[in-house]
Amino acid sequence: MFANPVVFIAGATGYTGSAIARGLLSGGTFARSLLSNTVIILVRSSSCSKPIVKTLEAAGAVVRLGDVTDRPEQLEQNLEGVDILISTVFSLDNLKPLFLAASKLGVKRVIPSDFGPHAPRGVMFVNDLKLDLRNYIKSLGLPYTFVEVGWWTKVSFPYPHAIPESWIAPKHFVGTCDVPSIQSTLGSIAAFMERIIVDERTLNQVVLIHDGEYTLNEMRGLGEKISGEDFSDYPVISPEKLQSEMVSEDPFVKSHAQYKYSMYIRGDNTLANAKADGLLIARELYDGIPVPDLEEEGRKFYKEPFVWGQSEV
């Protein structure tokens, strides 16, 4: 589709954004086919000294200073010369100005920050915000690709007893624990994105990246095998308990309850549902990307449990 596309990433210092940026810069198919200076990352002035920024710069990324909340003229200046815009910025931020600027400059494809589980409208308010942004992008006439990834393998194992329980490190199970849910690793997301963003078949389509479907019981069994811990003392949250939390005024409590209810009670986040809704399946489009070994992913997790905001990118 593009001879030498210029890719712009907003959110490149986060978990998903940095994985995608490093994947594009690592010397794979995408990087080998491009001229230099083709991956641009948007970085706040206050974040320039972060190790991940230095790492991406050393790998060949070009830094443009700014933020998705900048004035329209500044957004347009930072998007100058860009072919593909990828945003991994959290969806509660107002991203409409960013995509309006992309529309004015004729960006050839945009990928907003979906990168989450599959669900219909009306189930999770965060997902509804993502769907609203999809509709806005379509209203602008912007060429797009929407990408879903299910849930993240690195937060699907039961947390060890030594980790203090919090909303970012839950220590409980949900419902019957036998509802399958799509999962993916950051490595697979990065590998597939390299192909998806330059593929004509994915233009104006929704694409699912996944590494498989697993139940909470399967993740618990594997977690106990790897860690040697017994998680039978962790409580099981009932659908009624989740429903009471789903109307909380605390957006974090509300959103987490809605996500759990959607994935583990309703069973929205499945490959069958994604296919029924017309999503393209990345593993059916592209060969050569191995499915990560789940046991190896578990060993990594229990060696250094992932906690949002505390673990290294």
Side-chain angles (χ1 to χ4, degrees):
M1 180 179 178
F2 304 106
N4 289 292
V6 175
V7 179
F8 180 99
I9 303 176
T13 60
Y15 301 111
T16 302
S18 63
I20 293 171
R22 284 184 289 196
L24 295 179
L25 292 162
S26 66
T29 303
F30 182 90
R32 285 197 303 269
S33 66
L34 302 179
L35 299 174
S36 60
N37 298 342
T38 55
V39 176
I40 300 168
I41 59 174
L42 183 67
V43 178
R44 297 186 185 97
S45 298
S46 60
S47 298
C48 281
S49 60
K50 285 186 174 182
I52 185 59
V53 175
K54 299 302 182 184
T55 297
L56 294 177
E57 278 191 291
V62 176
V63 172
R64 289 187 182 175
L65 297 179
D67 191 271
V68 294
T69 61
D70 285 339
R71 298 187 306 275
E73 57 270 23
Q74 181 63 41
L75 290 172
E76 292 178 26
Q77 181 177 333
N78 272 327
L79 287 172
E80 191 69 41
V82 168
D83 296 303
I84 301 170
L85 162 62
I86 300 172
S87 172
T88 60
V89 177
F90 186 47
S91 63
L92 286 181
D93 292 317
N94 180 17
L95 298 177
K96 288 184 178 180
L98 176 67
F99 291 100
L100 178 59
S103 176
K104 289 182 177 179
L105 290 175
V107 172
K108 298 180 180 67
R109 186 186 305 216
V110 299
I111 299 94
S113 184
D114 283 1
F115 300 106
H118 185 72
R121 182 177 288 278
V123 175
M124 302 180 289
F125 82 90
V126 172
N127 189 60
D128 288 351
L129 292 175
K130 295 179 180 181
L131 297 178
D132 289 343
L133 185 58
R134 289 186 188 185
N135 288 337
Y136 179 71
I137 288 170
K138 291 178 182 179
S139 75
L140 294 174
L142 269 170
Y144 64 83
T145 301
F146 305 138
V147 179
E148 298 180 7
V149 300
W151 201 237
W152 297 275
T153 301
K154 65 167 56 184
V155 293
S156 296
F157 291 97
Y159 275 80
H161 289 80
I163 299 293
E165 183 171 16
S166 67
W167 69 269
I168 54 178
K171 296 167 70 174
H172 58 253
F173 301 103
V174 179
T176 61
C177 299
D178 61 1
V179 177
S181 185
I182 296 166
Q183 293 182 16
S184 63
T185 59
L186 290 177
S188 292
I189 293 171
F192 280 115
M193 282 292 289
E194 179 184 338
R195 293 155 175 78
I196 288 169
I197 63 175
V198 293
D199 190 342
E200 288 278 7
R201 297 172 297 175
T202 62
L203 188 63
N204 298 330
Q205 299 289 335
V206 187
V207 183
L208 172 68
I209 295 172
H210 81 99
D211 288 326
E213 291 177 311
Y214 303 96
T215 68
L216 290 177
N217 277 332
E218 288 175 316
M219 299 305 292
R220 172 184 166 178
L222 187 55
E224 290 181 336
K225 173 185 175 183
I226 295 168
S227 68
E229 297 188 37
D230 180 357
F231 298 116
S232 61
D233 58 321
Y234 286 9
V236 177
I237 304 299
S238 68
E240 293 74 22
K241 172 65 173 175
L242 285 177
Q243 287 175 326
S244 69
E245 294 178 348
M246 286 162 59
V247 295
S248 171
E249 294 184 1
D250 185 325
F252 289 103
V253 172
K254 180 178 180 178
S255 64
H256 278 255
Q258 288 179 339
Y259 269 76
K260 291 171 186 175
Y261 196 89
S262 173
M263 290 191 294
Y264 301 123
I265 304 299
R266 287 174 50 94
D268 292 320
N269 185 43
T270 65
L271 186 59
N273 286 339
K275 287 186 174 183
D277 289 337
L279 274 66
L280 301 180
I281 310 303
R283 289 200 173 275
E284 296 177 1
L285 294 176
Y286 311 107
D287 296 324
I289 298 178
V291 176
D293 181 270
L294 191 60
E295 189 163 337
E296 175 60 26
E297 294 300 315
R299 285 193 289 270
K300 293 177 186 176
F301 174 80
Y302 287 106
K303 181 179 180 180
E304 186 177 358
F306 178 88
V307 180
W308 293 107
Q310 297 178 25
S311 300
E312 292 295 324
V313 174

